């Protein structure tokens, strides 16, 4: 059986009169029926015309079918439910909490300022494995001292840096360890406390004293 013939047969069923209910057929021409009614044609006259064209409706079944078609047409299609909007109070509270956290972080942030390098101090030579961007002009944060911004000269000076805590005016000096991290431009790895650290007991060194 050819596909085209099957398609044609199904289309004939969908549009034919024999295989479809009279209500379905009436739905196809309901606009013309409504136009005739609006023009003042009686339902009896319309029904007689329909039955002359192959319908077999009674007046009661015609009115019932017309009522169902009108009712279905009058039903609006359901609209998708809108997503609930957040309550204004919740938005304000969330913004307030975010602003509070930002203010607290700014208050707790320690800002350092590097003191000028004395004249006559030679910079260190270029160190292997240091990223190229570290040798470019501009300020970069000290890899081992958070909040301390360094210029190009300060990054590679051979002396220990002196810097001031802007919050309290305290003058600090870069440690040997911090200096080594600066030369290699590497961030120190923070120490982690092992779950077994508390199990160790400090050794009594007095047992090793000579008598």
């Amino acid at each position: 059986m050819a596909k085209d013939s099957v398609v044609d047969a199904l289309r004939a069923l969908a549009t034919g009169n024999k295989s479809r209910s009279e209500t379905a057929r009436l739905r196809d021409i309901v606009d013309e029926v409504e136009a005739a009614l609006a023009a003042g044609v009686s339902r009896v006259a319309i029904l007689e015309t329909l039955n002359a064209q192959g319908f077999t409706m009674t007046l009661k079944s015609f009115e019932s079918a017309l009522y169902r078609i009108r009712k279905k047409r009058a039903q609006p299609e359901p609209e998708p439910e809108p997503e609930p909007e957040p309550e204004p109070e919740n938005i304000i509270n969330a913004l307030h909490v975010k602003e509070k956290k930002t203010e607290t972080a700014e208050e707790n942030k320690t800002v350092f300022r590097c003191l000028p390098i004395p004249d006559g101090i030679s910079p260190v030579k270029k160190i292997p494995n240091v990223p190229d961007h570290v040798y470019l002009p501009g300020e970069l944060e000290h890899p081992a001292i958070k909040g301390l911004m360094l210029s190009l000269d300060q990054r590679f000076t051979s002396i220990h840096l002196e810097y001031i805590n802007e919050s309290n005016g305290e003058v600090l000096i870069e440690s040997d360890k911090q200096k080594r991290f600066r030369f290699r431009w590497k961030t120190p790895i923070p120490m982690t406390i092992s779950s077994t650290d508390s199990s160790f007991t400090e050794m009594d060194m007095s047992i090793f004293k000579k008598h």
Side-chain angles (χ1 to χ4, degrees):
M1 182 180 294
K3 179 180 177 181
D4 292 343
S5 60
V6 175
V7 172
D8 292 339
L10 291 174
R11 286 176 178 171
L13 286 174
T15 57
N17 293 337
K18 294 182 179 180
S19 57
R20 302 173 67 221
S21 67
E22 291 192 326
T23 301
R25 290 161 55 195
L26 180 62
R27 189 180 298 112
D28 293 341
I29 57 172
V30 70
D31 290 334
E32 286 73 16
V33 172
E34 294 287 9
L37 290 171
V41 180
S42 68
R43 296 191 177 192
V44 174
I46 292 173
L47 179 59
E48 289 176 353
T49 302
L50 293 176
N51 287 341
Q53 298 298 322
F55 282 82
T56 58
M57 286 183 169
T58 63
L59 182 59
K60 185 176 181 180
S61 61
F62 168 68
E63 290 179 341
S64 176
L66 185 61
Y67 170 78
R68 291 197 301 272
I69 293 171
R70 285 175 171 176
K71 184 178 180 181
K72 189 171 183 179
R73 277 191 165 191
Q75 291 177 349
E77 295 184 1
E79 297 181 358
E81 295 184 3
E83 295 183 2
E85 297 182 359
E87 297 181 5
E89 184 177 353
N90 293 339
I91 296 176
I92 294 173
N93 291 339
L95 291 175
H96 180 70
V97 171
K98 185 176 180 181
E99 290 175 357
K100 194 68 177 177
K101 288 182 178 179
T102 303
E103 291 174 1
T104 303
E106 290 295 331
E107 291 174 359
N108 295 335
K109 184 178 180 181
T110 304
V111 179
F112 298 113
R113 175 171 54 85
C114 192
L115 297 178
I117 299 173
D119 296 335
I121 304 298
S122 301
V124 296
K125 295 181 180 180
K126 190 169 183 178
I127 301 171
N129 300 323
V130 173
D132 292 337
H133 75 274
V134 181
Y135 292 95
L136 297 177
E139 289 193 336
L140 294 176
E141 188 177 45
H142 194 300
I145 305 176
K146 193 171 182 63
L148 178 60
M149 304 303 293
L150 303 178
S151 65
L152 180 59
D153 292 337
Q154 292 166 345
R155 292 198 288 273
F156 294 104
T157 183
S158 57
I159 64 172
H160 289 82
L161 294 173
E162 293 186 0
Y163 57 100
I164 186 170
N165 187 335
E166 295 281 23
S167 61
N168 56 18
E170 181 183 7
V171 177
L172 305 167
I173 300 177
E174 181 185 44
S175 67
D176 290 338
K177 186 176 181 180
Q178 291 168 339
K179 182 180 177 183
R180 287 195 298 272
F181 279 113
R182 173 167 60 87
F183 281 171
R184 293 172 175 78
W185 207 257
K186 290 186 177 181
T187 304
I189 300 175
M191 294 181 61
T192 56
I193 300 176
S194 171
S195 59
T196 59
D197 283 356
S198 59
S199 302
F200 292 96
T201 304
E202 186 177 357
M203 182 180 291
D204 184 4
M205 300 303 295
S206 63
I207 62 176
F208 296 103
K209 291 182 180 180
K210 294 182 180 180
H211 297 285

